[in-house]
Amino acid sequence: MRSLRTRFAAVIAAFVLCLAGAVITMQSQTPTASAQGPNGDVAHMQPSAVNLQSTTSGMWVDTPLQVTLPRPGTYILDANVRGRIAGDGQDRLLASIQARLMDNTEGDVVPQSERLVTHMNMPSLGEPWAKQSTAPISERITVTQETVIRLQVRRVNSVGQTIRADIFSDAAGYTSLRYQRV
């Protein structure tokens, strides 16, 4: 009888060890959530566009995309800015879309955050031309209070006129802004 109990206990112990191994394996394969809360978060511009065609060339425009740094500290800011620009092809076009991060709380530009999102330098070709691209922005900022960071953009026509210029998000890609406290 004792031998039967020993075998039964050994089978139960082996089962428990296998079960524990399966739980550990399942836990290690569970994807971790993205950083959210007081130490990090990400915001995506929902499928839409910020039309820069109707703005004055060179004028900075606020986008709806912003994050709130929740407390004092040092943060890494990362943005992906998707833009498109087009010309009618009838005249030469030298134009660009630029982006930067703005500290709305202090009213200052985040230092060195300006980026060229997309640029077009086309001779007159007789047909419309368009270009789209995505530019990354990565900068570090230290804040002393809760701070709102907003994405700003502008269209600059140096030669000729664009027929389309915007920052956008759609099913093929999103404009996003992320922070991580370090």
Side-chain angles (χ1 to χ4, degrees), residues 2-133:
R2 182 173 217 170
S3 172
L4 184 59
R5 276 190 238 163
T6 304
R7 285 187 202 150
F8 185 67
V11 167
I12 289 175
F15 176 75
V16 168
L17 285 174
C18 288
L19 183 60
V23 168
I24 290 169
T25 300
M26 285 173 44
Q27 287 176 342
S28 67
Q29 292 176 350
T30 302
T32 57
S34 62
Q36 294 181 10
N39 293 322
D41 203 355
V42 62
H44 295 90
M45 194 168 89
Q46 294 308 308
S48 65
V50 175
N51 180 359
L52 298 173
Q53 191 60 30
S54 62
T55 64
T56 302
S57 174
M59 184 178 79
W60 287 102
V61 176
D62 287 339
T63 71
L65 190 58
Q66 70 179 31
V67 294
T68 300
L69 309 180
R71 62 182 190 234
T74 300
Y75 295 84
I76 300 295
L77 302 171
D78 289 309
N80 284 301
V81 186
R82 189 168 176 219
R84 62 184 159 206
I85 195 165
D88 66 7
Q90 302 304 311
D91 298 307
R92 178 163 183 248
L93 178 62
L94 176 58
S96 63
I97 295 176
Q98 300 160 7
R100 68 182 184 187
L101 300 177
M102 181 62 140
D103 175 343
N104 272 14
T105 304
E106 294 294 326
D108 296 326
V109 175
V110 174
Q112 301 176 351
S113 68
E114 190 171 325
R115 299 292 189 278
L116 179 65
V117 176
T118 191
H119 179 261
M120 182 175 276
N121 185 1
M122 299 298 297
S124 55
L125 301 171
E127 294 182 24
W129 273 84
K131 181 178 183 182
Q132 54 179 290
S133 52

